[in-house]
Every structure is written in structure tokens, then in C-alpha cells.
Amino acid sequence: MEIIPAIDLKDGRCVRLYQGDFAQMTVYADDPVAVARVWQAQGATRLHLVDLDGARAGRPQNVDAVLAITQAVQIPVQLGGGLRREEDVEAALALGVERVIIGTAAIAETELVARLLNRFGEQIVIGIDARNGMVATDGWTVTSTVAATMLAAQMAALGARRIIYTDISRDGALSGPNFTALTELIRADGPAIIASGGIATLDHVRRLAQLGVEGAIIGKALYVGAISLPEALAVAQTVTSQP
């Protein structure tokens, strides 16, 4: 299982929100490039970037910061936030981003997603953010009437090979992942699942690895020191390598 540190960008800085609430924001670093280098130095094999301004505006906003990070590190980077048009996806990939995460467009623009999956294959990751089991969009400001499990099935039918699942109520709360919801999403013949939201202890990491998710995105727990990245990597490797 891959451990993926999160770098959330707002106004070019590295921040964290509590349950997606911009009014409950903590700034952890003014220089996200330095943060990216730290995670790489500690053994990260991938970084998860979120353009928070882009998610709210519907168009990428932190382009300069994203480019600076991709140029500063040698590990692959995935990016989400405001990527709702084909040209914006193209531009993100041109910045050196390896994977682009499609969230709001997955529910609002099915034809676009089908086209992107056909054109870019595994470079397109579907982001499913859920509140009480229902998909939330537009930077988590709108809760739809579509169940996360239903959207996952629809995206799998379109050819999606990877889904990032975030339980909004757990995000930034250090209360543990939603193991029940993740279990419902994992299918032997379905897309790989990456867990996000609430991961706060090495036991959470261990349980996720045992559950069979492909990756775990960790944000706040790393920034407040609840988990050390080298320890999380070691736990994930130990569980994954067990017969």
C-alpha cells in the first residue's frame, strides 16, 4: 500500500482545512515546495496536491505552486481541485503532473469523463468525496443526491481504474477512516481504491493495508506529528509484504 502525503494549496501556501471548511483553515507552511522536498526526503513515493482555490472557483488557481513542486521533486505528483474542463486537464499534465483527479465533473459531466478516460487512461483518477454517503461537489460546498457507491459503479463502467474516496466528516478530524464505506467500494474486479480522510494512527494505516486499498492519503496527521511518514511507510510495507 502506498502512503501519499497531501499538500493542500491555498493562495500559494500549504494549508489544511477542517472538513473542507475554509473558515477553519490552518496554514502549515508558506513554501509548499519545501514541504514537498521534506516528504520526498522522508521516503514518499508520490505526492497528493489539492488546489483548494481551484476547487471553489471551478478553474485551476495555484498553477505556479504546482509547477514549482513538480520541478522540485523527482517523485510523481497527482493533482485535484477545479479540473472540470478538458483543456485544464491537458494544462495540468503539461505542468508535469502524472495523475489528474476528477471530482465534480464525474457527477456533472459524464461525457467529459468518458472522453478523458479514453484519452488519458490511468492518468485520470476519479475523486469521490462523500458526506453521509452522498457525493459532495464544488469544493465540498454542494451535497448531491447521488450515493458514493453508485457513482463508483458508474465510473468503473466508464473505464476508471482508480478512485480516491474521501469521507468529508473524517477529513482533518483525525477520527479514523470510514472503513465501512471503503469496504463497500472495494471490488476484486473494480477500480483500485485510495483512502483519504481521518487517518491519524499507525493502526489506521495497518487496517487500511489489511483491507486492501491501494493507497492512503495522509494530511493533518503528518503535519501535527501524530504520524511520522517513515513509520507509516514501514507499517504499510510490512502488512503488504505479508503472505
Side-chain angles (χ1 to χ4, degrees), residues 31-239:
D31 183 3
V33 171
V35 175
R37 286 178 170 145
V38 167
W39 298 143
Q40 177 178 257
Q42 290 188 12
T45 56
R46 185 180 310 276
L47 297 175
H48 176 77
L49 308 186
V50 180
D51 182 346
L52 293 173
D53 298 299
R56 191 156 63 169
R59 293 289 305 276
Q61 302 294 312
N62 285 278
V63 176
D64 291 344
V66 172
L67 177 60
I69 290 171
T70 62
Q71 292 181 335
V73 299
Q74 286 72 56
I75 56 177
V77 169
Q78 59 190 34
L79 172 68
L83 296 160
R84 302 171 196 169
R85 305 191 311 166
E86 190 163 359
E87 51 265 47
D88 291 334
V89 171
E90 291 175 346
L93 294 172
L95 295 174
V97 171
E98 184 189 71
R99 295 176 181 167
V100 168
I101 302 158
I102 303 298
T104 297
I107 196 169
E109 300 283 350
T110 305
E111 291 184 3
L112 168 64
V113 176
R115 190 164 64 249
L116 291 173
L117 286 167
N118 183 63
R119 181 178 175 189
F120 297 110
E122 290 201 37
Q123 288 184 288
I124 302 299
V125 179
I126 303 302
I128 297 181
D129 307 322
R131 183 181 285 112
N132 298 320
M134 309 307 287
V135 177
T137 62
D138 299 276
W140 298 356
T141 60
V142 178
T143 301
S144 74
T145 57
V146 178
T149 50
M150 180 180 296
L151 182 60
Q154 291 173 345
M155 293 299 103
L158 289 178
R161 302 176 191 178
R162 187 167 284 106
I163 289 173
I164 296 174
Y165 176 80
T166 303
D167 187 301
I168 295 170
S169 68
R170 311 296 181 103
D171 191 70
L174 302 179
S175 57
N178 188 331
F179 293 104
T180 300
L182 289 165
T183 300
E184 292 175 350
L185 290 172
I186 295 172
R187 295 286 181 271
D189 58 348
I193 302 297
I194 297 174
S196 175
I199 302 167
T201 69
L202 293 178
D203 184 59
H204 292 158
V205 173
R206 184 176 296 106
R207 289 179 63 187
L208 286 171
Q210 293 168 341
L211 193 63
V213 299
E214 182 186 71
I217 296 170
I218 307 180
K220 185 176 180 179
L222 292 175
Y223 290 95
V224 301
I227 294 178
S228 84
L229 180 56
E231 288 179 339
L233 291 165
V235 167
Q237 177 61 35
T238 299
V239 175

Side-chain angles (χ1 to χ4, degrees), residues 7-29:
I7 299 177
D8 290 0
L9 301 166
K10 187 176 191 309
D11 300 324
R13 300 182 296 176
C14 176
V15 309
R16 293 296 297 168
L17 306 182
Y18 177 74
Q19 297 183 0
D21 185 356
F22 281 83
Q24 300 187 67
M25 182 180 76
T26 303
V27 178
Y28 285 109

